[in-house]
């Protein structure tokens, strides 16, 4: 039995009772409380400094700006500043009042995330003010539309046909926005019961793949999202990255806060390979908690679909893998590339080179090229100096974040153990009182018996 209402309404109206959780008007819909409950604090994700490629345009987000630099031609850089973009009414307040929840606080104009279409013609970004911006880069950069979203977004994805833009938000919903008709209202496609962190669309636009804060990867039919094809289960922490490698349309790569990278056959939900990055080798320059695995924050695949680069948060290293469909181990570790500073993000360019954004103002970008059997840092690349010069102009220290995923880790709360301890204390105290009462009764009987004898 499922309560009626939107996914957002369901999440906000359930109540907790001793021994379980239920919706107020649906007493039969309840969930038994386990011994260990994971408590998570609901708060927004910080803005992410990210890089990407749109054709030969190198894209870089910093604070409120999206900066594009052409790596092959001497063209003027393009800068889109969200703080100067068109302001629209905040629709989330009305939506929140309809759903019965409190309105969200007013946000800043910082860019939260962006994505590029498969053809490299379109770019979409979203900011902390809950605006969705659609841009076109060819033949010249222009803004197609600026629309409002209901909640702050965590991930974006274009359909392969580039007629639809899927938006995943922090409340667990996925909305569909039309690319061809900017005036069309957004359509709610599906919902999770926890924050969504990644969304991807399969080749052929058949499936929508979503990953959430509760370790789940769901594969849903795009045309009928209520029809779930499979679940990819096995991660022990939030799933932070999804990637379908080019040339392998039935495979899915995922990264998680548990420090593992997994390869899936997503249509069946079967896991093909799993690697714990800490077991491969001791991660050099790791600034994370020793008791906590480093969170995988980016999984990037080369254009030919052969090489996989994995980046962990606050770890000065990039782990490279090879995808080999013919071998027993489909995902094979190849090498580790140490870095001088912690990486903020990375991406492959159309030529198969890996661009790494570093957390250091003097050396923001590194280009790594595969030379024979190893990846090497090329410092004298003319494209590097061109991009570096533009980035230095727009770089801000505020773009750097200490930890993007720290608030997403599970915290176990064992309420049953506490209950059993208190129960044991009550039983011991009751036994002491009973024993004391029996001793007093025996003394009283002895006293009465001795008094009667005299």
């Amino acid at each position: 039995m499922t309560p009626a209402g939107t996914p957002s309404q369901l999440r906000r109206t359930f109540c907790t009772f001793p021994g379980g959780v239920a919706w107020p008007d649906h007493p039969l819909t309840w969930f038994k409380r386990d011994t260990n409950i994971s408590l998570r604090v609901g708060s927004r994700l910080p803005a992410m400094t990210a890089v990407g490629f749109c054709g030969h345009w190198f894209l870089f987000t910093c604070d409120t700006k999206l900066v594009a630099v052409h790596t092959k031609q001497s063209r003027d850089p393009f800068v889109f500043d969200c703080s100067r973009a068109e302001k629209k009414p905040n629709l989330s307040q009305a939506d929140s009042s309809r759903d019965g929840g409190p309105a969200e606080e007013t946000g800043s104009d910082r860019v939260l995330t962006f994505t590029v279409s498969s053809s490299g013609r379109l770019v979409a970004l979203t900011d902390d003010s809950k605006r969705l911006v659609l841009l076109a880069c060819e033949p010249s950069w222009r803004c197609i539309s600026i629309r409002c979203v209901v909640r702050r977004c965590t991930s974006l994805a274009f359909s392969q046909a580039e007629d639809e833009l899927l938006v995943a938000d922090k409340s667990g919903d996925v909305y569909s926005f039309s690319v061809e008709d900017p005036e069309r209202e957004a359509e709610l496609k599906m919902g999770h019961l926890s924050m969504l962190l990644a969304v991807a669309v399969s080749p052929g636009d058949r499936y929508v793949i979503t990953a959430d804060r509760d370790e789940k990867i769901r594969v849903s039919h795009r045309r009928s999202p209520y029809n779930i094809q499979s679940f990819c289960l096995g991660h022990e922490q939030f799933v932070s990255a999804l990637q379908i490698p080019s040339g392998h349309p039935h495979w899915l790569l995922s990264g998680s806060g548990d420090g593992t990278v997994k390869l899936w056959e997503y249509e069946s939900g079967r896991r093909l390979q799993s690697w714990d990055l800490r077991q491969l080798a001791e991660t050099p320059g790791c600034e994370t908690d020793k008791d906590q695995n480093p969170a995988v924050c980016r999984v990037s695949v080369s254009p030919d679909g052969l090489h996989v680069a994995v980046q962990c948060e606050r770890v000065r290293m990039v782990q490279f893998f090879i995808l080999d469909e013919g071998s027993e181990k489909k995902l094979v570790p190849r090498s580790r590339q140490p870095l001088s500073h912690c990486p903020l993000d990375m991406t492959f360019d159309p030529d198969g080179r890996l661009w790494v954004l570093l957390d250091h103002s003097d050396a923001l970008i590194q280009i790594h090229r595969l030379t024979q059997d190893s990846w090497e840092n090329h410092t004298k690349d003319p494209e590097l100096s061109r991009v570096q010069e533009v980035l230095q102009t727009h770089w801000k220290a505020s773009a750097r974040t200490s930890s993007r995923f720290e608030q997403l880790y599970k915290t176990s709360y064992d309420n049953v153990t506490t209950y059993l301890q208190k129960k044991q204390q009550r039983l011991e105290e009751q036994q002491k009182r009973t024993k004391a009462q029996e001793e007093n009764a025996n003394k009283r009987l002895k006293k009465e018996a001795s008094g009667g004898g005299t």
Side-chain angles (χ1 to χ4, degrees), residues 229-249:
Q229 173 70 20
S230 65
F231 284 94
C232 300
L233 304 177
H235 284 295
E236 298 179 357
Q237 287 286 354
F238 55 87
V239 183
S240 50
L242 295 176
Q243 186 69 248
I244 298 177
S246 56
H248 307 280

Side-chain angles (χ1 to χ4, degrees), residues 235 252-256 258-264 271 273-277 280 296 298-299 308-312 319 321 331:
H235 284 295
L252 173 71
L253 287 161
S254 64
S256 168
D258 59 14
T260 65
V261 177
K262 300 183 187 298
L263 178 66
W264 310 86
R271 186 177 64 187
Q273 195 80 36
S274 178
W275 290 103
D276 189 329
L277 297 181
L280 289 177
V296 176
R298 180 69 70 190
V299 177
V308 179
V310 179
Q311 171 199 339
C312 291
Q319 175 70 52
F321 293 87
L331 184 64

Side-chain angles (χ1 to χ4, degrees), residues 260-449:
T260 65
V261 177
K262 300 183 187 298
L263 178 66
W264 310 86
E265 190 179 72
Y266 60 84
E267 286 189 75
S268 62
R270 185 166 65 97
R271 186 177 64 187
L272 302 177
Q273 195 80 36
S274 178
W275 290 103
D276 189 329
L277 297 181
R278 281 204 168 182
Q279 291 181 358
L280 289 177
E282 185 63 28
T283 51
C286 181
E287 299 179 5
T288 59
D289 190 342
K290 297 300 181 182
D291 298 329
Q292 191 177 85
N293 287 327
V296 176
C297 54
R298 180 69 70 190
V299 177
S300 188
V301 182
S302 61
D304 58 10
L306 296 178
H307 304 281
V308 179
V310 179
Q311 171 199 339
C312 291
E313 187 179 48
R314 295 187 293 176
V315 176
R316 296 194 296 270
M317 179 268 296
V318 174
Q319 175 70 52
F320 288 97
F321 293 87
I322 295 178
L323 285 172
D324 188 356
E325 195 167 359
S327 67
E328 182 180 354
K329 293 183 178 180
K330 311 297 184 183
L331 184 64
V332 183
R334 176 157 187 166
S335 63
R336 293 182 299 120
Q337 182 70 26
L339 303 173
S340 57
H341 303 281
C342 289
L344 295 175
D345 199 16
M346 64 181 185
T347 185
F348 280 98
D349 65 11
D351 299 326
R353 299 173 300 177
L354 184 68
W355 294 59
V356 182
L357 177 67
L358 299 177
D359 189 5
H360 195 270
S361 57
D362 294 334
L364 283 173
I365 292 289
Q366 286 185 357
I367 299 179
H368 297 265
R369 187 195 303 267
L370 181 62
T371 304
Q372 294 181 349
D373 293 331
S374 63
W375 290 85
E376 297 181 358
N377 179 21
H378 282 242
T379 58
K380 297 182 179 181
D381 199 309
E383 300 174 13
L384 177 64
S385 58
R386 183 184 304 116
V387 172
Q388 183 90 2
E389 181 181 356
V390 177
L391 296 191
Q392 290 286 356
T393 305
H394 299 280
W395 174 259
K396 289 185 179 180
S398 60
R400 289 170 277 180
T401 58
S402 57
S403 176
R404 181 175 175 238
F405 300 110
E406 184 176 2
Q407 59 184 320
L408 300 180
Y409 281 96
K410 291 187 297 185
T411 301
S412 295
Y413 175 67
D414 193 353
N415 62 338
V416 174
T417 300
T418 304
Y419 165 75
L420 293 177
Q421 290 176 349
K422 292 182 178 180
K423 182 179 180 180
Q424 184 64 27
Q425 291 175 0
R426 289 195 301 269
L427 291 175
E428 292 176 355
E429 292 174 358
Q430 185 177 358
Q431 290 174 355
K432 290 179 181 180
R433 289 195 299 268
T434 303
K435 186 177 181 180
Q437 291 174 358
E438 291 176 352
E439 291 177 352
N440 292 335
N442 291 334
K443 289 180 180 179
R444 199 163 47 246
L445 292 174
K446 289 180 180 180
K447 188 175 179 180
E448 292 175 356

